Amino acid sequence: MSLPSVSLILRLAACATLAAAALPAFAAGRAAPAEVQARYETERAACNAKPSPDERATCLRDAAAAREAALRGELELPAGTYGLNR
């Protein structure tokens, strides 16, 4: 059985990091477009600090996808779902 590549592990870690960072910001309800844009710009700055071009590209792609999902209201969580994570 072969081990996953380092690149795959880094991409999965980047996705998990973005998801973990984005969910609390939008869990309270649908964010205003200005809030979504501000969050995106913060994430974009963090992405641009990544050392590897592959990491930067993946991070930027995920940040853009999270922004679009937030603008569509897809990152909303219904009230009371926080307790389901226990």
Side-chain angles (χ1 to χ4, degrees):
M1 180 161 102
S2 66
L3 296 175
S5 70
V6 173
S7 177
L8 174 63
I9 292 170
L10 291 175
R11 287 181 183 171
L12 290 174
C15 290
T17 301
L18 282 174
L23 284 177
F26 302 111
R30 189 175 205 155
E35 293 172 2
V36 172
Q37 185 64 27
R39 177 67 185 193
Y40 169 71
E41 290 181 19
T42 300
E43 290 178 357
R44 189 172 163 82
C47 291
N48 284 324
K50 301 275 184 199
S52 145
D54 286 341
E55 287 180 85
R56 277 193 302 276
T58 300
C59 185
L60 290 168
R61 185 173 47 252
D62 290 344
R67 178 183 62 179
E68 294 304 313
L71 290 172
R72 289 189 307 266
E74 295 174 358
L75 292 181
E76 282 185 77
L77 293 177
T81 59
Y82 179 76
L84 296 175
N85 292 327
R86 293 183 195 179

